[in-house]
Amino acid sequence: MIKLELLFRGSLNLVFVFVFVLSIIIIPAKCQDVEVMNILKSVINSPITLEWTDPDVCKWRRIQCDSRKRVTAIQLGSQNLQGFLPQELVKLTNLQRFECQSNALTGSFPYLSKTLQRLVIHDNKFSFIPGDLFTGMSNLQEVRMDDNPFSPWWIPNSLRDCVSLQTFSAQSAGIVGTIPNFFGRDGPFPGLVFLALSNNFLEGVLPASLSGSSIETLLVNGQNSNNKLNGTLAVIQNMASLKQIWANGNSFTGPIPDLSRLDQLSDINLRDNQLTGVVPPSLMNLPRLQVVNLTNNYLQGSPPMFRDGVGVDNNMDGGRNQFCTNILGQPCSSLVNVLLSVIEPLGYPLKFAESWQGNDPCANKWLGIVCSNGNISIINFQSMGITGTISPTFATLSSLTKLLLANNTLIGTIPKQLTTMPLLQELDVSNNHLYGRVPSFRNGVVLKFGGNPDIGKDKPSTYSSYGLEESGSKINVVGVTIIILVGLVILLGVVALLTIKFWKRPRDNSSKSTSHHDAIMVDHKYQLDENVVHVSVVAGGEGGGALSPTGNMVISIQVLRQVTHNFREENIIGKGGFGTVYKGELHDGTQIAVKRMQSGITDTDEKGPNEFTSEIAVLTKVRHKHLVALLGYCLDGSERLLVYEYMPQGALSKHLFNWKEEGMKPLEWKTRLSIALDVARGVEYLHGLTQQIFIHRDLKPSNILLGDDLRAKVSDFGLVRLAPEGKASFQTRLAGTFGYMAPEYAATGRLTTKADVYSFGVILMELVTGRKALDESQPEENIHLVTWFRRMLLNKDSFRTIIDRTIEVDEETYESINTVAELAGHCSAREPYQRPDMSHAVNVLSSLVEVWKPIEQDVDDVYGINFDMTLPEALQRWQAFEGKSTMNLTLSPSSLNTSRDNTHSRTSPNVSSSHS
Ligand SMILES: *[C@@H]1O[C@H](CO)[C@@H](O)[C@H](O)[C@H]1NC(C)=O
Ligand SMILES: *[C@@H]1O[C@H](CO)[C@@H](O)[C@H](O)[C@H]1NC(C)=O
Ligand SMILES: *[C@@H]1O[C@H](CO)[C@@H](O)[C@H](O)[C@H]1NC(C)=O
Ligand SMILES: *[C@@H]1O[C@H](CO)[C@@H](O)[C@H](O)[C@H]1NC(C)=O
Ligand SMILES: *[C@@H]1O[C@H](CO)[C@@H](O)[C@H](O)[C@H]1NC(C)=O
Ligand SMILES: *[C@@H]1O[C@H](CO)[C@@H](O)[C@H](O)[C@H]1NC(C)=O
């Protein structure tokens, strides 16, 4: 009794301490918000209608706070506001929405908290936007900053940090330069659907990276730069999600591409460009089409007729288009059709479109066409700078006597159909990039094909065959080389600077490293993921200005460089598909693992960013004793880093498959069993103990990490998917590792928690046999562990032979192994519905573990613990408890204990009282 009372008092004390500490951290932040809001009130000329008078700013109109009285939303649209916004706004560190559209606010737009989700500031008079405003804003979903007189600015690279971006609208916003190539499928914004950049000063082309993007609305019309946007519209044929595209008022050239994949497209505006060629039938046939504007181009062929109800503005009279007639849908003369099909493979050059008017090539003087008696006698396209292939359709011009195509960059071969032209006297294709056999023409035809280096050869030599494309890619190679060289120079500079910095700094804590100069280079020595091909990329640079670690979990790159000795090679502890993992040591000796996501010098990030956000999103939502804990992250320029607790014994795969090479002891059966149970519990938690269902998708021994006590935690949440609410099965892009992937998932992409159960079954088989999921050293029929294991399981005698030889098998062990083997077979059943839930695996395994360890109790077992707090909350609390500011990362061992082990000293009142 007395003991109990003491305990109760103790925990009450704890609660008091906790509440006290909590009030200390909350009150200053709250006060700060009040202060900032009062500054805001005084500078924006807040009108009486806002009624900003209450001492409690949370009661002010158009302000929202969270339960802790921190300001989360400021919504001041259309309030006749004037003045400028104070720089202090950045101190509202819980701000999620900032809206001030349709006012007359002026001056420089201030920095805002990295927690921001919505930024709506259109229709104001802001004159400046800081280029690094977006740095670290990984929650930002919506940006609307149209119609502001910003001084010229480029779309900043820091926007790449906004990995949650769905809407980016910056029309009439003073943007100069080119459209960056990170708005595409492989870019950092998987969810981007709305991109509006109209009426700026953009130039250059629509980047090829837009191909395959999920963008639904793309507005790039009306650029005011001298050159406007130019190049072709070819990329939009691969933007199958498009519903609306406005590209009008630019300098786009070439034909309208095939739009048959854009079955959602309803509004297309291409007017006022220099588009040429025939309007493709795929445009007329678009099922959802409602509005189409094509006026003022150089479109050719028959004037397109759209179905009833489609609004069309291609007014024939004023418009500059070069349709062959004025009557909608009326076909052109056959001669015109032939000539149009002849220039199609040449990309419908503008100079033809400008000259070829009407429906009779001989009535007007058409460029390159010479007629005699109403029939075309000569085609002369010499020295016109045209590129493309020679159309066989030339052959249908039976009256042709001369076909002159010299001095261009034509590619491909001479079509043999040309030999059938009855009146042909001369064919001149000299000085092009043609290859292949010259077909045999009638006697008397003058052939000129000199100056084609590959003529007569079967294949084009790499250089001449691809003509311009080849020289284009050469330029690219040169360009890339230059970029790499410049990058290296910058890197060297940075390294030199760092070296000097380190040199000058008094060496406080026995900085053993003398080799900072080789620190940034990375090589692939350790290959943790056996099935993932990994290319390491050198990345570096200090990024744009030091990123101050404001968010709770944000850790500055400087700290991470310091603790990993500038990402020194010796600190590498592993490589995954998406990055390199370094070991780091804090001042107090605490060890951490820093995962540096793969990122390139070039802008073509691959999966990296998605995995990064996915992993952060998952790890901040789920916490469990058997899931590796995320301690923080860092986004700086192109750098993306995740900081985890360090797992000293490394991956299970090492202990299972490489123990000899690593000089380790093989795992005992008891240990294997307890590892299996740990994993099962971690995965069970992912699947169902949280409010949401998470699916790991990549369970395998290299993603299971061990602590010094050989207890296991599941790691690598880069591929985790959140099941849509209320859906037990859903479809995703395939990801995972062969050998562990459930057959139905591999075959159809349909994903359920049972896919993880399957992988878990494979892991159990590996624990029993010590063999890898795919073992290439085995005979063909035994390579696939699951197949082999199931076969061997059928027979008692054969089963004994597959047990890992390193396991000492007595009767009791054998029974236990047998049970696990059965569970393994059950989990890896072919049909998902035949597999058990993870909780079944937990039950089976825990009953076995208890046989071995009847006395051991998991004090801090999952079920007794409050997991309501998100990780950032927990981190904030223990940081506060430790009296540490969030401005630097000084994790002490005790703080790690609280974060990791959920001991009762953890700072939640619920936990404390639950122990009373
Ligand atoms: C396209 O615009 C760029 C930049 O404004 C310019 O350098 C280039 O020459 C233009 N290309 C064409 C074909 O006009
Ligand atoms: C495009 O065409 C539609 C339909 O005729 C018309 O209502 C609209 O004003 C046009 N837009 C532009 C920018 O010309
Ligand atoms: C054009 O050529 C065709 C045969 O190719 C011939 O029948 C026709 O008379 C020619 N037209 C003129 C005006 O010479
Ligand atoms: C082709 O170009 C060469 C060199 O520029 C010139 O000498 C030759 O006359 C040109 N030929 C034709 C047919 O234009
Ligand atoms: C972090 O802050 C503590 C106390 O303010 C200080 O002693 C320590 O040196 C700082 N650590 C780093 C890495 O800046
Ligand atoms: C943290 O845990 C380690 C081992 O688990 C223990 O030795 C140490 O005393 C703990 N530190 C604190 C402050 O609880």
Side-chain angles (χ1 to χ4, degrees):
M1 272 318 253
I2 290 169
K3 222 173 151 191
L4 217 112
E5 195 184 325
L6 274 177
L7 228 157
F8 179 69
R9 269 203 218 149
S11 57
L12 251 187
N13 281 346
L14 247 172
V15 172
F16 281 132
V17 168
F18 172 72
V19 168
F20 177 69
V21 169
L22 211 69
S23 51
I24 290 181
I25 27 168
I26 285 174
I27 286 170
K30 223 167 73 184
C31 287
Q32 185 155 297
D33 283 8
V34 172
E35 207 173 285
V36 173
M37 290 308 295
N38 277 304
I39 296 174
L40 177 65
K41 174 182 164 182
S42 65
V43 296
I44 59 170
N45 188 21
S46 82
I48 294 161
T49 49
L50 276 180
E51 294 168 26
W52 281 8
T53 48
D54 199 292
D56 181 356
V57 300
C58 294
K59 295 205 175 125
W60 290 5
R61 293 190 53 211
R62 298 174 168 272
I63 302 299
Q64 284 173 32
C65 296
D66 60 15
S67 56
R68 300 201 211 144
K69 296 267 179 195
R70 301 291 315 277
V71 174
T72 56
I74 299 178
Q75 292 166 288
L76 301 174
S78 306
Q79 298 298 308
N80 290 318
L81 303 181
Q82 292 166 16
F84 59 91
L85 295 175
Q87 295 299 328
E88 284 81 358
L89 282 177
V90 72
K91 295 184 188 163
L92 300 174
T93 52
N94 279 18
L95 194 64
Q96 291 168 7
R97 278 173 171 237
F98 185 83
E99 299 169 13
C100 67
Q101 71 276 16
S102 305
N103 287 295
L105 295 166
T106 55
S108 209
F109 192 79
Y111 290 96
L112 293 176
S113 165
K114 306 299 177 206
T115 51
L116 205 65
Q117 294 172 8
R118 245 176 90 95
L119 178 66
V120 182
I121 64 172
H122 59 82
D123 291 283
N124 274 289
K125 297 198 160 77
F126 292 117
S127 58
F128 181 78
I129 186 100
D132 53 350
L133 175 72
F134 301 107
T135 303
M137 290 201 177
S138 55
N139 297 321
L140 193 60
Q141 293 166 9
E142 183 174 349
V143 175
R144 293 187 187 272
M145 54 198 323
D146 319 68
D147 294 294
N148 274 293
F150 293 125
S151 55
W153 62 297
W154 284 260
I155 296 176
N157 224 18
S158 66
L159 191 64
R160 301 176 61 119
D161 290 1
C162 307
V163 290
S164 308
L165 201 61
Q166 293 165 4
T167 295
F168 186 78
S169 190
Q171 312 181 74
S172 304
I175 304 176
V176 298
T178 57
I179 300 177
N181 63 4
F182 52 66
F183 285 116
R185 179 187 53 189
D186 298 324
F189 320 117
L192 185 69
V193 292
F194 189 98
L195 179 61
L197 301 169
S198 314
N199 302 315
N200 283 298
F201 299 87
L202 292 168
E203 55 184 20
V205 301
L206 285 183
S209 58
L210 288 171
S211 177
S213 84
S214 54
I215 294 174
E216 293 173 2
T217 295
L218 178 66
L219 310 181
V220 293
N221 51 297
Q223 299 304 325
N224 300 303
S225 50
N226 287 336
N227 285 320
K228 302 171 183 272
L229 291 172
N230 64 14
T232 73
L233 294 172
V235 68
I236 67 175
Q237 68 189 309
N238 296 320
M239 298 179 70
S241 306
L242 274 181
K243 293 178 173 164
Q244 182 182 36
I245 175 164
W246 289 1
N248 48 303
N250 281 298
S251 304
F252 290 113
T253 53
I256 301 172
D258 172 26
L259 299 175
S260 48
R261 292 183 55 209
L262 278 65
D263 53 4
Q264 303 297 312
L265 192 66
S266 72
D267 180 359
I268 178 167
N269 191 337
L270 305 177
R271 58 175 293 160
D272 304 311
N273 280 291
Q274 287 148 36
L275 300 175
T276 54
V278 175
V279 178
S282 58
L283 175 56
M284 273 83 91
N285 295 336
L286 287 175
R288 299 268 165 90
L289 194 63
Q290 275 166 10
V291 183
V292 54
N293 305 46
L294 301 173
T295 303
N296 281 330
N297 280 289
Y298 293 93
L299 296 169
Q300 296 159 286
S302 165
M305 186 151 79
F306 293 87
R307 74 186 134 66
D308 281 355
V310 176
V312 188
D313 80 329
N314 56 343
N315 42 323
M316 242 53 64
D317 35 349
R320 208 180 42 195
N321 283 324
Q322 297 284 31
F323 298 124
C324 60
T325 81
N326 285 342
I327 300 158
L328 291 183
Q330 188 185 62
C332 302
S333 70
S334 58
L335 213 47
V336 169
N337 280 337
V338 170
L339 289 177
L340 288 174
S341 71
V342 154
I343 58 170
E344 184 190 352
L346 309 176
Y348 297 111
L350 187 57
K351 48 169 70 99
F352 293 124
E354 283 170 330
S355 155
W356 290 8
Q357 297 183 2
N359 206 5
D360 181 357
C362 295
N364 302 305
K365 213 175 148 9
W366 280 27
L367 177 70
I369 310 295
V370 179
C371 293
S372 122
N373 296 326
N375 280 333
I376 298 177
S377 58
I378 301 174
I379 286 190
N380 181 354
F381 292 171
Q382 288 180 142
S383 306
M384 285 190 175
I386 52 179
T387 183
T389 59
I390 302 174
S391 169
T393 320
F394 276 117
T396 56
L397 297 165
S398 54
S399 55
L400 206 60
T401 59
K402 292 186 179 183
L403 179 53
L404 310 174
L405 305 171
N407 286 7
N408 287 298
T409 38
L410 296 173
I411 57 175
T413 58
I414 302 171
K416 63 174 184 299
Q417 289 88 336
L418 301 190
T419 60
T420 62
M421 288 191 278
L423 304 178
L424 191 68
Q425 293 161 15
E426 182 178 346
L427 173 68
D428 187 352
V429 294
S430 47
N431 300 326
N432 278 292
H433 291 153
L434 299 167
Y435 76 96
R437 214 169 60 84
V438 180
S440 44
F441 285 81
R442 265 183 307 110
N443 278 345
V445 177
V446 178
L447 292 177
K448 297 180 181 166
F449 48 81
N452 287 285
D454 293 326
I455 203 84
K457 297 182 189 163
D458 280 351
K459 279 183 190 162
S461 65
T462 36
Y463 173 69
S464 62
S465 59
Y466 299 111
L468 288 183
E469 288 164 46
E470 181 61 19
S471 60
S473 69
K474 279 226 159 129
I475 288 166
N476 277 346
V477 170
V478 172
V480 169
T481 314
I482 289 173
I483 289 171
I484 290 174
L485 283 179
V486 169
L488 276 178
V489 168
I490 291 173
L491 260 179
L492 282 178
V494 168
V495 172
L497 271 178
L498 279 176
T499 314
I500 291 166
K501 240 165 117 185
F502 276 105
W503 199 265
K504 281 188 178 166
R505 180 179 302 175
R507 304 197 163 201
D508 37 21
N509 56 359
S510 67
S511 174
K512 290 156 239 148
S513 157
T514 50
S515 54
H516 289 291
H517 54 278
D518 62 6
I520 297 180
M521 291 300 173
V522 164
D523 81 5
H524 16 210
K525 207 187 285 173
Y526 305 81
Q527 193 86 14
L528 250 180
D529 276 338
E530 46 286 81
N531 296 312
V532 181
V533 180
H534 174 80
V535 181
S536 62
V537 181
V538 178
E542 288 273 294
L547 165 68
S548 63
T550 42
N552 295 326
M553 307 213 23
V554 179
I555 298 166
S556 87
I557 184 90
Q558 285 81 1
V559 170
L560 295 181
R561 279 191 196 288
Q562 212 176 333
V563 301
T564 59
H565 296 110
N566 214 353
F567 304 113
R568 193 169 56 165
E569 199 178 312
E570 287 89 325
N571 285 49
I572 296 179
I573 49 176
K575 294 209 173 219
F578 307 111
T580 308
V581 185
Y582 297 81
K583 181 177 169 177
E585 192 167 318
L586 304 179
H587 286 269
D588 59 9
T590 307
Q591 295 178 325
I592 57 173
V594 181
K595 177 151 116 186
R596 190 187 202 189
M597 308 299 265
Q598 225 174 294
S599 69
I601 296 165
T602 58
D603 281 338
T604 54
D605 264 13
E606 291 177 346
K607 291 174 183 161
N610 294 352
E611 311 304 335
F612 183 74
T613 34
S614 165
E615 187 142 5
I616 292 178
V618 172
L619 281 169
T620 50
K621 283 197 190 106
V622 302
R623 288 180 312 120
H624 187 269
K625 202 169 62 150
H626 297 302
L627 303 179
V628 170
L630 182 74
L631 300 177
Y633 65 89
C634 167
L635 260 170
D636 189 309
S638 64
E639 288 278 13
R640 289 168 165 71
L641 300 124
L642 295 166
V643 180
Y644 308 92
E645 58 179 323
Y646 175 64
M647 298 294 288
Q649 289 303 319
L652 171 63
S653 51
K654 221 166 54 174
H655 294 258
L656 263 186
F657 311 127
N658 302 332
W659 53 272
K660 248 185 216 153
E661 295 89 316
E662 302 275 343
M664 299 188 279
K665 278 198 290 186
L667 295 172
E668 289 174 31
W669 179 245
K670 283 185 208 179
T671 317
R672 296 182 196 216
L673 211 47
S674 108
I675 290 170
L677 178 57
D678 290 347
V679 174
R681 286 200 164 140
V683 178
E684 179 193 33
Y685 168 77
L686 274 180
H687 283 183
L689 290 181
T690 44
Q691 288 90 342
Q692 293 158 313
I693 295 174
F694 290 94
I695 301 173
H696 188 288
R697 290 210 290 176
D698 204 13
L699 284 177
K700 54 183 175 180
S702 57
N703 282 340
I704 294 167
L705 303 181
L706 304 179
D708 271 331
D709 51 2
L710 293 180
R711 298 302 298 269
K713 297 185 190 221
V714 177
S715 83
D716 212 330
F717 297 84
L719 294 180
V720 170
R721 283 294 170 273
L722 178 59
E725 231 164 290
K727 269 200 169 171
S729 134
F730 61 101
Q731 209 150 9
T732 77
R733 220 186 306 169
L734 208 58
T737 305
F738 288 114
Y740 301 89
M741 224 186 270
E744 79 282 359
Y745 175 51
T748 66
R750 293 210 73 78
L751 186 61
T752 66
T753 52
K754 295 294 174 69
D756 279 349
V757 175
Y758 181 92
S759 311
F760 180 71
V762 179
I763 295 170
L764 290 181
M765 293 179 184
E766 294 180 312
L767 287 169
V768 168
T769 61
R771 265 185 51 175
K772 292 185 185 176
L774 291 176
D775 188 348
E776 308 285 351
S777 70
Q778 297 289 330
E780 188 65 34
E781 69 275 16
N782 294 347
I783 287 181
H784 188 216
L785 177 61
V786 176
T787 320
W788 175 70
F789 191 93
R790 285 232 204 84
R791 205 168 56 232
M792 302 305 263
L793 200 55
L794 294 178
N795 178 320
K796 236 185 159 109
D797 293 330
S798 63
F799 175 64
R800 266 196 187 268
T801 66
I802 69 169
I803 298 174
D804 191 342
R805 296 236 177 84
T806 65
I807 301 177
E808 280 176 40
V809 188
D810 57 23
E811 236 359 81
E812 204 181 357
T813 317
Y814 180 77
E815 281 309 311
S816 167
I817 293 176
N818 206 11
T819 311
V820 172
E822 269 165 21
L823 178 64
H826 192 183
C827 288
S828 303
R830 178 153 287 280
E831 300 298 332
Y833 65 86
Q834 296 169 332
R835 297 172 208 148
D837 284 330
M838 225 48 214
S839 49
H840 174 77
V842 170
N843 286 342
V844 172
L845 291 167
S846 54
S847 69
L848 292 177
V849 168
E850 253 137 52
V851 172
W852 299 103
K853 302 179 183 175
I855 318 149
E856 193 205 285
Q857 271 289 333
D858 271 336
V859 226
D860 46 355
D861 207 347
V862 275
Y863 308 103
I865 294 218
N866 168 26
F867 277 97
D868 290 344
M869 256 190 289
T870 64
L871 183 57
E873 281 170 343
L875 271 167
Q876 192 183 29
R877 288 182 191 191
W878 59 252
Q879 277 170 345
F881 231 142
E882 295 297 316
K884 298 286 191 287
S885 85
T886 53
M887 293 303 287
N888 77 18
L889 179 86
T890 49
L891 300 172
S892 68
S894 54
S895 57
L896 269 178
N897 284 2
T898 42
S899 82
R900 176 163 51 183
D901 290 340
N902 305 309
T903 53
H904 56 268
S905 72
R906 231 189 44 173
T907 55
S908 150
N910 294 356
V911 171
S912 310
S913 42
S914 75
H915 277 264
S916 54

